[in-house]
Amino acid sequence: MQDATGAHTAPGTTGTPETPGTPGTTGTPGTTGTSGTPGTPHPPTPRATLLLLHTAADLRARTPVGRRVVVMTMGALHEGHATLVRTARQTAGPDGEVVVTVFVNPLQFGAGEDLDRYPRTLEADIKIASQAGADVVFAPSVEEVYPGGEPQVRVTAGPMGSVLEGATRPGHFDGVLTVVAKLLHLTAPDVALFGQKDAQQLAVIRRMVRDLNFPVEIVGVPTVREDDGLARSSRNRYLSPEERRTALGLSRALFAGRDRHAAQEALRARAALDPATHARVDGLNALGEARAAADAHAVAQAVPAGPAGPDAVRAAARQVLDEARRLRPPLVLDYLALVDPADFQEISPGHQGEAILAVAAKVGTTRLIDNIPLTFGARA
Protein backbone atom coordinates (compact mmCIF):
# COMPACT_ATOMS: atom_id res chain seq x y z
CA MET A 1 0.00 0.00 0.00
CA GLN A 2 1.20 3.49 -0.54
CA ASP A 3 1.56 5.09 2.83
CA ALA A 4 1.68 8.76 3.44
CA THR A 5 5.25 8.70 2.24
CA GLY A 6 6.19 9.32 -1.33
CA ALA A 7 3.36 7.62 -3.09
CA HIS A 8 4.31 4.13 -2.42
CA THR A 9 2.84 1.86 0.11
CA ALA A 10 0.96 -1.32 0.07
CA PRO A 11 -2.75 -1.46 0.60
CA GLY A 12 -3.32 -0.12 3.99
CA THR A 13 0.25 -1.08 4.29
CA THR A 14 2.82 -0.43 1.63
CA GLY A 15 5.04 1.97 3.25
CA THR A 16 5.34 2.50 6.92
CA PRO A 17 3.42 4.68 9.31
CA GLU A 18 4.25 8.28 8.54
CA THR A 19 4.74 9.67 12.00
CA PRO A 20 7.87 11.27 13.40
CA GLY A 21 10.37 8.93 14.88
CA THR A 22 8.90 5.79 13.36
CA PRO A 23 10.66 3.77 10.72
CA GLY A 24 9.35 3.96 7.17
CA THR A 25 9.69 2.01 4.25
CA THR A 26 6.67 2.92 -1.68
CA GLY A 27 7.69 1.29 -16.61
CA THR A 28 5.42 -0.38 -18.63
CA PRO A 29 3.24 -2.95 -17.09
CA GLY A 30 4.92 -6.30 -16.83
CA THR A 31 3.41 -9.71 -16.44
CA THR A 32 1.73 -11.27 -13.46
CA GLY A 33 3.91 -10.78 -10.45
CA THR A 34 6.28 -8.48 -12.27
CA SER A 35 6.28 -4.97 -13.58
CA GLY A 36 7.91 -2.62 -15.97
CA THR A 37 8.09 1.14 -15.84
CA PRO A 38 5.09 3.13 -16.99
CA GLY A 39 5.74 6.18 -19.09
CA THR A 40 4.84 9.68 -17.89
CA PRO A 41 1.05 9.73 -17.48
CA HIS A 42 -0.95 12.35 -19.34
CA PRO A 43 -2.93 14.80 -17.20
CA PRO A 44 -6.27 13.05 -16.56
CA THR A 45 -9.73 14.48 -16.82
CA PRO A 46 -11.23 14.62 -13.30
CA ARG A 47 -14.02 12.07 -12.97
CA ALA A 48 -17.44 13.64 -13.05
CA THR A 49 -18.77 11.28 -10.38
CA LEU A 50 -16.43 9.58 -7.93
CA LEU A 51 -18.00 6.93 -5.74
CA LEU A 52 -17.04 6.49 -2.09
CA LEU A 53 -17.60 2.87 -1.07
CA HIS A 54 -17.07 1.25 2.32
CA THR A 55 -17.91 -2.42 1.76
CA ALA A 56 -16.57 -5.13 -0.50
CA ALA A 57 -20.15 -6.07 -1.41
CA ASP A 58 -20.74 -2.62 -2.89
CA LEU A 59 -17.46 -2.83 -4.81
CA ARG A 60 -18.26 -6.31 -6.12
CA ALA A 61 -21.61 -5.02 -7.37
CA ARG A 62 -19.76 -2.92 -9.90
CA THR A 63 -18.74 -4.60 -13.16
CA PRO A 64 -16.28 -2.44 -15.10
CA VAL A 65 -16.29 -2.83 -18.86
CA GLY A 66 -12.50 -2.67 -19.06
CA ARG A 67 -9.69 -3.49 -16.65
CA ARG A 68 -9.83 -2.60 -12.97
CA VAL A 69 -6.64 -0.96 -11.74
CA VAL A 70 -6.06 -0.51 -8.00
CA VAL A 71 -3.82 1.89 -6.08
CA MET A 72 -3.53 0.91 -2.43
CA THR A 73 -2.90 3.68 0.10
CA MET A 74 -3.10 4.49 3.76
CA GLY A 75 -4.54 7.90 2.97
CA ALA A 76 -2.98 11.33 3.57
CA LEU A 77 -2.60 11.53 -0.21
CA HIS A 78 -0.14 13.91 -1.88
CA GLU A 79 1.37 14.45 -5.31
CA GLY A 80 3.26 11.17 -5.15
CA HIS A 81 0.01 9.29 -4.74
CA ALA A 82 -1.62 11.43 -7.42
CA THR A 83 1.09 10.29 -9.83
CA LEU A 84 0.18 6.69 -9.08
CA VAL A 85 -3.50 7.39 -9.71
CA ARG A 86 -2.77 9.19 -12.98
CA THR A 87 -0.67 6.23 -14.09
CA ALA A 88 -3.52 3.92 -13.10
CA ARG A 89 -5.93 6.00 -15.18
CA GLN A 90 -3.65 5.70 -18.19
CA THR A 91 -3.27 1.95 -17.61
CA ALA A 92 -7.02 1.37 -17.24
CA GLY A 93 -7.96 3.38 -20.32
CA PRO A 94 -11.24 5.20 -20.83
CA ASP A 95 -13.37 2.08 -20.32
CA GLY A 96 -11.52 0.73 -17.30
CA GLU A 97 -11.99 1.50 -13.64
CA VAL A 98 -9.50 3.02 -11.19
CA VAL A 99 -10.00 2.15 -7.53
CA VAL A 100 -8.03 3.89 -4.78
CA THR A 101 -8.10 2.12 -1.43
CA VAL A 102 -7.73 4.14 1.76
CA PHE A 103 -7.09 1.93 4.76
CA VAL A 104 -4.82 2.49 7.74
CA ASN A 105 -3.66 -1.04 8.44
CA PRO A 106 -3.15 -1.73 12.17
CA LEU A 107 -1.10 -4.85 11.44
CA GLN A 108 1.84 -2.89 10.11
CA PHE A 109 2.21 -0.63 13.14
CA GLY A 110 4.75 -2.05 15.56
CA ALA A 111 5.60 -1.19 19.15
CA GLY A 112 6.30 2.51 19.53
CA GLU A 113 4.53 3.39 16.27
CA ASP A 114 1.47 5.45 17.11
CA LEU A 115 -1.46 4.15 15.08
CA ASP A 116 -3.77 6.79 16.54
CA ARG A 117 -1.52 9.64 15.35
CA TYR A 118 -1.49 8.53 11.73
CA PRO A 119 -3.23 11.28 9.69
CA ARG A 120 -6.79 10.59 8.52
CA THR A 121 -7.76 13.03 5.76
CA LEU A 122 -10.44 11.19 3.80
CA GLU A 123 -12.23 14.29 2.47
CA ALA A 124 -8.98 15.68 1.05
CA ASP A 125 -8.01 12.23 -0.22
CA ILE A 126 -11.25 11.96 -2.19
CA LYS A 127 -10.59 15.31 -3.86
CA ILE A 128 -7.03 14.36 -4.85
CA ALA A 129 -8.12 10.95 -6.11
CA SER A 130 -10.91 12.44 -8.19
CA GLN A 131 -8.69 15.09 -9.76
CA ALA A 132 -6.12 12.43 -10.64
CA GLY A 133 -8.71 10.31 -12.45
CA ALA A 134 -10.02 7.76 -9.94
CA ASP A 135 -13.51 6.30 -10.30
CA VAL A 136 -13.87 4.81 -6.83
CA VAL A 137 -12.39 5.41 -3.39
CA PHE A 138 -12.74 2.25 -1.34
CA ALA A 139 -12.39 3.14 2.34
CA PRO A 140 -13.30 0.05 4.37
CA SER A 141 -13.44 -0.07 8.14
CA VAL A 142 -11.13 -2.27 10.17
CA GLU A 143 -14.11 -4.54 10.80
CA GLU A 144 -14.69 -4.90 7.04
CA VAL A 145 -11.11 -5.93 6.37
CA TYR A 146 -10.65 -8.01 9.54
CA PRO A 147 -14.20 -9.14 10.44
CA GLY A 148 -13.03 -11.61 13.08
CA GLY A 149 -10.50 -9.31 14.68
CA GLU A 150 -6.79 -9.69 14.04
CA PRO A 151 -6.35 -12.61 11.62
CA GLN A 152 -5.02 -15.84 13.06
CA VAL A 153 -3.60 -16.85 9.68
CA ARG A 154 -1.24 -14.35 8.06
CA VAL A 155 1.09 -14.12 5.09
CA THR A 156 4.77 -14.09 6.06
CA ALA A 157 7.48 -12.39 4.03
CA GLY A 158 10.14 -15.02 4.73
CA PRO A 159 13.85 -14.17 4.43
CA MET A 160 13.17 -11.13 2.21
CA GLY A 161 11.17 -9.58 5.01
CA SER A 162 13.85 -9.95 7.68
CA VAL A 163 16.56 -7.70 6.22
CA LEU A 164 16.96 -3.91 5.93
CA GLU A 165 13.50 -2.47 6.71
CA GLY A 166 12.41 -5.85 8.06
CA ALA A 167 15.35 -5.94 10.47
CA THR A 168 14.44 -2.49 11.76
CA ARG A 169 10.75 -3.29 11.97
CA PRO A 170 10.33 -7.01 12.75
CA GLY A 171 7.05 -8.38 11.41
CA HIS A 172 6.25 -5.24 9.43
CA PHE A 173 6.24 -6.93 6.03
CA ASP A 174 4.05 -9.75 7.36
CA GLY A 175 1.45 -7.10 8.15
CA VAL A 176 1.93 -5.51 4.74
CA LEU A 177 1.53 -8.76 2.82
CA THR A 178 -1.47 -9.84 4.86
CA VAL A 179 -3.39 -6.63 4.15
CA VAL A 180 -2.29 -6.53 0.52
CA ALA A 181 -3.54 -10.09 0.07
CA LYS A 182 -6.82 -9.16 1.73
CA LEU A 183 -7.29 -6.06 -0.42
CA LEU A 184 -6.44 -7.94 -3.59
CA HIS A 185 -9.22 -10.39 -2.73
CA LEU A 186 -11.67 -7.62 -1.82
CA THR A 187 -11.01 -5.41 -4.86
CA ALA A 188 -10.28 -8.16 -7.44
CA PRO A 189 -8.11 -5.97 -9.70
CA ASP A 190 -6.51 -6.85 -13.01
CA VAL A 191 -3.57 -4.55 -12.21
CA ALA A 192 -2.22 -3.12 -8.94
CA LEU A 193 0.23 -0.20 -8.86
CA PHE A 194 2.86 0.38 -6.17
CA GLY A 195 5.56 3.00 -5.82
CA GLN A 196 9.20 2.11 -6.29
CA LYS A 197 10.11 4.37 -3.37
CA ASP A 198 9.15 1.49 -1.08
CA ALA A 199 11.37 -0.87 -3.06
CA GLN A 200 11.51 -3.68 -0.52
CA GLN A 201 7.77 -3.62 -0.06
CA LEU A 202 7.30 -3.75 -3.82
CA ALA A 203 9.72 -6.69 -4.00
CA VAL A 204 7.95 -8.76 -1.34
CA ILE A 205 4.56 -8.05 -2.90
CA ARG A 206 5.80 -9.20 -6.28
CA ARG A 207 7.21 -12.32 -4.67
CA MET A 208 3.94 -13.08 -2.88
CA VAL A 209 1.94 -12.63 -6.07
CA ARG A 210 4.28 -14.93 -7.95
CA ASP A 211 4.68 -17.58 -5.24
CA LEU A 212 0.97 -17.73 -4.36
CA ASN A 213 -0.36 -17.38 -7.92
CA PHE A 214 -2.44 -14.26 -7.46
CA PRO A 215 -4.13 -13.43 -10.81
CA VAL A 216 -2.99 -9.82 -10.86
CA GLU A 217 -0.31 -7.79 -12.62
CA ILE A 218 1.95 -5.77 -10.30
CA VAL A 219 3.35 -2.55 -11.76
CA GLY A 220 6.03 -0.41 -10.12
CA VAL A 221 5.86 3.37 -10.58
CA PRO A 222 9.03 5.51 -10.31
CA THR A 223 9.66 7.58 -7.20
CA VAL A 224 8.35 11.13 -7.22
CA ARG A 225 10.87 13.71 -6.01
CA GLU A 226 10.78 17.27 -4.77
CA ASP A 227 12.56 19.94 -6.83
CA ASP A 228 15.65 19.59 -4.62
CA GLY A 229 15.79 15.81 -5.14
CA LEU A 230 14.31 14.69 -1.82
CA ALA A 231 11.95 11.76 -2.30
CA ARG A 232 8.40 12.94 -1.78
CA SER A 233 7.01 11.71 1.53
CA SER A 234 4.44 12.79 4.06
CA ARG A 235 7.26 12.58 6.58
CA ASN A 236 8.97 15.54 4.96
CA ARG A 237 6.45 17.80 6.70
CA TYR A 238 8.13 17.01 10.02
CA LEU A 239 11.54 18.32 8.91
CA SER A 240 12.72 21.75 9.98
CA PRO A 241 14.65 23.78 7.35
CA GLU A 242 17.93 22.67 8.95
CA GLU A 243 16.83 19.03 9.08
CA ARG A 244 15.72 19.15 5.46
CA ARG A 245 19.16 20.36 4.43
CA THR A 246 20.69 17.37 6.17
CA ALA A 247 18.06 15.01 4.76
CA LEU A 248 19.14 15.88 1.22
CA GLY A 249 22.18 13.72 1.96
CA LEU A 250 20.06 10.63 1.22
CA SER A 251 19.19 11.48 -2.37
CA ARG A 252 22.59 13.05 -3.02
CA ALA A 253 24.29 9.87 -1.85
CA LEU A 254 22.18 7.81 -4.23
CA PHE A 255 22.90 10.17 -7.11
CA ALA A 256 26.63 10.00 -6.34
CA GLY A 257 26.51 6.20 -6.47
CA ARG A 258 24.54 6.32 -9.70
CA ASP A 259 27.00 8.74 -11.29
CA ARG A 260 30.00 6.64 -10.28
CA HIS A 261 28.31 3.60 -11.76
CA ALA A 262 27.53 5.43 -15.03
CA ALA A 263 31.15 6.59 -15.32
CA GLN A 264 32.44 3.05 -14.81
CA GLU A 265 30.03 1.63 -17.37
CA ALA A 266 31.12 4.28 -19.89
CA LEU A 267 34.79 3.43 -19.34
CA ARG A 268 34.09 -0.25 -19.75
CA ALA A 269 32.26 0.43 -23.00
CA ARG A 270 35.28 2.38 -24.31
CA ALA A 271 37.65 -0.35 -23.17
CA ALA A 272 35.60 -2.96 -24.98
CA LEU A 273 36.03 -1.00 -28.20
CA ASP A 274 39.80 -0.72 -27.75
CA PRO A 275 41.21 -3.79 -25.98
CA ALA A 276 44.80 -2.65 -26.54
CA THR A 277 44.53 0.15 -23.99
CA HIS A 278 47.45 -1.02 -21.84
CA ALA A 279 49.79 -0.85 -24.85
CA ARG A 280 48.48 2.63 -25.67
CA VAL A 281 49.34 3.85 -22.19
CA ASP A 282 52.97 2.80 -22.61
CA GLY A 283 53.17 4.29 -26.08
CA LEU A 284 51.66 7.61 -25.09
CA ASN A 285 53.93 7.91 -22.08
CA ALA A 286 56.95 7.29 -24.31
CA LEU A 287 55.80 10.17 -26.51
CA GLY A 288 55.36 12.48 -23.52
CA GLU A 289 51.58 12.63 -23.93
CA ALA A 290 50.82 12.55 -20.22
CA ARG A 291 47.21 13.67 -20.38
CA ALA A 292 46.33 11.24 -23.16
CA ALA A 293 48.17 8.47 -21.31
CA ALA A 294 46.20 9.19 -18.13
CA ASP A 295 42.94 8.94 -20.03
CA ALA A 296 44.00 5.69 -21.66
CA HIS A 297 45.09 4.39 -18.24
CA ALA A 298 41.61 5.08 -16.84
CA VAL A 299 40.10 3.13 -19.69
CA ALA A 300 42.54 0.28 -19.13
CA GLN A 301 41.74 0.17 -15.42
CA ALA A 302 38.06 -0.25 -16.23
CA VAL A 303 38.72 -3.64 -17.81
CA PRO A 304 39.86 -5.65 -14.76
CA ALA A 305 37.16 -4.04 -12.62
CA GLY A 306 34.67 -6.42 -14.21
CA PRO A 307 31.06 -5.76 -15.16
CA ALA A 308 29.82 -4.65 -11.76
CA GLY A 309 32.01 -2.35 -9.64
CA PRO A 310 29.54 -2.36 -6.72
CA ASP A 311 32.22 -1.45 -4.16
CA ALA A 312 32.93 1.79 -6.02
CA VAL A 313 29.22 2.62 -6.06
CA ARG A 314 28.92 2.01 -2.33
CA ALA A 315 32.03 4.10 -1.64
CA ALA A 316 30.74 7.07 -3.63
CA ALA A 317 27.41 7.02 -1.80
CA ARG A 318 29.01 6.53 1.61
CA GLN A 319 31.29 9.54 1.10
CA VAL A 320 28.23 11.81 0.77
CA LEU A 321 26.57 10.21 3.78
CA ASP A 322 29.72 10.70 5.86
CA GLU A 323 29.61 14.40 5.01
CA ALA A 324 25.96 14.58 6.08
CA ARG A 325 26.84 12.94 9.39
CA ARG A 326 28.99 15.97 10.20
CA LEU A 327 26.17 18.47 9.66
CA ARG A 328 24.05 19.97 12.42
CA PRO A 329 21.68 18.32 12.92
CA PRO A 330 23.49 15.19 11.80
CA LEU A 331 22.24 12.41 9.57
CA VAL A 332 22.15 9.17 11.56
CA LEU A 333 22.62 6.32 9.11
CA ASP A 334 20.59 3.15 9.52
CA TYR A 335 21.85 1.32 6.44
CA LEU A 336 23.32 1.73 2.97
CA ALA A 337 22.85 -1.35 0.81
CA LEU A 338 23.31 -2.37 -2.81
CA VAL A 339 21.01 -5.34 -3.28
CA ASP A 340 19.52 -7.69 -5.81
CA PRO A 341 15.79 -6.85 -6.12
CA ALA A 342 15.01 -10.57 -6.42
CA ASP A 343 15.99 -11.34 -2.82
CA PHE A 344 17.32 -8.09 -1.26
CA GLN A 345 20.70 -9.62 -0.55
CA GLU A 346 23.88 -7.62 -1.15
CA ILE A 347 25.16 -8.10 -4.69
CA SER A 348 28.57 -9.69 -5.35
CA PRO A 349 31.47 -8.00 -7.20
CA GLY A 350 30.63 -9.89 -10.39
CA HIS A 351 26.90 -9.15 -10.33
CA GLN A 352 25.25 -8.49 -13.66
CA GLY A 353 21.71 -7.26 -14.05
CA GLU A 354 19.33 -5.19 -11.94
CA ALA A 355 20.24 -3.83 -8.51
CA ILE A 356 18.86 -1.35 -6.00
CA LEU A 357 20.97 1.15 -4.09
CA ALA A 358 18.99 1.77 -0.89
CA VAL A 359 19.50 4.01 2.10
CA ALA A 360 17.69 4.68 5.38
CA ALA A 361 18.57 7.27 7.99
CA LYS A 362 17.11 9.40 10.73
CA VAL A 363 17.29 13.19 10.86
CA GLY A 364 16.10 14.54 14.17
CA THR A 365 13.12 12.35 15.06
CA THR A 366 12.15 11.62 11.46
CA ARG A 367 13.22 8.42 9.72
CA LEU A 368 13.52 8.55 5.93
CA ILE A 369 14.18 5.97 3.22
CA ASP A 370 15.15 6.26 -0.43
CA ASN A 371 16.52 4.13 -3.22
CA ILE A 372 17.52 4.20 -6.86
CA PRO A 373 17.63 1.38 -9.45
CA LEU A 374 20.88 0.51 -11.25
CA THR A 375 21.80 -1.98 -13.95
CA PHE A 376 25.23 -3.63 -13.93
CA GLY A 377 26.91 -5.05 -16.98
CA ALA A 378 24.54 -3.28 -19.36
CA ARG A 379 25.64 -2.91 -22.93
CA ALA A 380 26.25 0.61 -24.09
Side-chain angles (χ1 to χ4, degrees), residues 280-301:
R280 290 186 66 233
V281 172
D282 295 337
L284 289 167
N285 274 323
L287 293 172
E289 298 288 346
R291 290 185 62 186
D295 181 66
H297 178 71
V299 174
Q301 288 301 106

Side-chain angles (χ1 to χ4, degrees), residues 277-346:
T277 48
H278 291 282
R280 290 186 66 233
V281 172
D282 295 337
L284 289 167
N285 274 323
L287 293 172
E289 298 288 346
R291 290 185 62 186
D295 181 66
H297 178 71
V299 174
Q301 288 301 106
V303 180
D311 286 344
V313 173
R314 295 184 184 99
R318 191 169 294 279
Q319 181 177 357
V320 175
L321 294 172
D322 286 344
E323 293 171 357
R325 290 172 61 184
R326 294 192 288 270
L327 297 176
R328 291 291 179 269
L331 181 147
V332 181
L333 183 64
D334 185 351
Y335 62 76
L336 172 68
L338 185 55
V339 300
D340 187 331
D343 57 12
F344 263 70
Q345 296 298 310
E346 290 281 352

Side-chain angles (χ1 to χ4, degrees), residues 33 157 160 202-212 342-343:
M160 287 182 66
L202 176 59
V204 297
I205 291 171
R206 284 175 170 162
R207 189 69 188 221
M208 176 187 74
V209 166
R210 184 179 70 181
D211 288 354
L212 302 184
D343 57 12

Side-chain angles (χ1 to χ4, degrees), residues 55-75:
T55 70
D58 288 340
L59 189 58
R60 281 194 294 268
R62 295 178 56 83
T63 53
V65 176
R67 297 198 298 175
R68 174 177 283 173
V69 182
V70 167
V71 175
M72 299 182 183
T73 84
M74 293 209 301

Side-chain angles (χ1 to χ4, degrees), residues 2 46 60 64-65 88-89 91 126-127 174 228 249 273 288 318 361:
Q2 317 318 320
R60 281 194 294 268
V65 176
R89 179 77 268 158
T91 302
I126 292 171
K127 181 177 180 180
D174 295 350
D228 56 10
L273 294 175
R318 191 169 294 279

Side-chain angles (χ1 to χ4, degrees), residues 9-282:
T9 317
T13 99
T14 299
T16 58
E18 292 297 322
T19 53
T22 62
T25 44
T26 74
T28 53
T31 57
T32 300
T34 63
S35 78
T37 303
T40 302
H42 300 294
T45 300
R47 310 308 277 177
T49 304
L50 181 144
L51 293 180
L52 173 62
L53 303 179
H54 296 286
T55 70
D58 288 340
L59 189 58
R60 281 194 294 268
R62 295 178 56 83
T63 53
V65 176
R67 297 198 298 175
R68 174 177 283 173
V69 182
V70 167
V71 175
M72 299 182 183
T73 84
M74 293 209 301
L77 305 189
H78 52 61
E79 178 56 29
H81 298 98
T83 296
L84 282 171
V85 179
R86 287 192 289 268
T87 304
R89 179 77 268 158
Q90 185 179 44
T91 302
D95 297 327
E97 181 178 71
V98 174
V99 177
V100 175
T101 69
V102 175
F103 179 67
V104 181
N105 178 35
L107 297 189
Q108 68 191 71
F109 286 77
E113 297 173 356
D114 195 343
L115 173 63
D116 294 334
R117 290 186 60 196
Y118 193 89
R120 273 81 165 175
T121 57
L122 183 58
E123 185 174 341
D125 294 342
I126 292 171
K127 181 177 180 180
I128 291 174
S130 176
Q131 291 176 341
D135 298 295
V136 176
V137 168
F138 178 52
S141 65
V142 173
E143 292 72 25
E144 178 74 13
V145 177
Y146 303 120
E150 288 198 7
Q152 297 299 304
V153 177
R154 307 188 185 195
V155 180
T156 62
M160 287 182 66
S162 64
V163 298
L164 302 184
E165 288 303 301
T168 300
R169 309 182 67 204
H172 168 70
F173 287 119
D174 295 350
V176 168
L177 292 184
T178 299
V179 76
V180 169
K182 294 276 287 188
L183 289 175
L184 287 176
H185 287 313
L186 294 175
T187 61
D190 298 290
V191 183
L193 271 59
F194 296 91
Q196 291 177 356
K197 177 178 176 289
D198 294 309
Q200 191 173 2
Q201 173 183 276
L202 176 59
V204 297
I205 291 171
R206 284 175 170 162
R207 189 69 188 221
M208 176 187 74
V209 166
R210 184 179 70 181
D211 288 354
L212 302 184
N213 300 105
F214 278 79
V216 63
E217 177 183 352
I218 302 299
V219 175
V221 179
T223 300
V224 177
R225 297 188 178 276
E226 307 280 1
D227 291 342
D228 56 10
L230 190 66
R232 197 177 288 270
S233 167
S234 63
R235 295 185 176 200
N236 296 348
R237 74 182 72 177
Y238 301 123
L239 298 170
S240 69
E242 295 77 15
E243 289 172 338
R244 187 184 179 94
R245 181 191 62 176
T246 297
L248 290 174
L250 277 79
S251 57
R252 288 173 179 169
L254 296 178
F255 298 156
R258 177 197 61 191
D259 293 346
R260 176 68 62 84
H261 169 64
Q264 286 192 331
E265 291 293 320
L267 284 174
R268 270 190 289 277
R270 290 177 60 188
L273 294 175
D274 188 358
T277 48
H278 291 282
R280 290 186 66 233
V281 172
D282 295 337

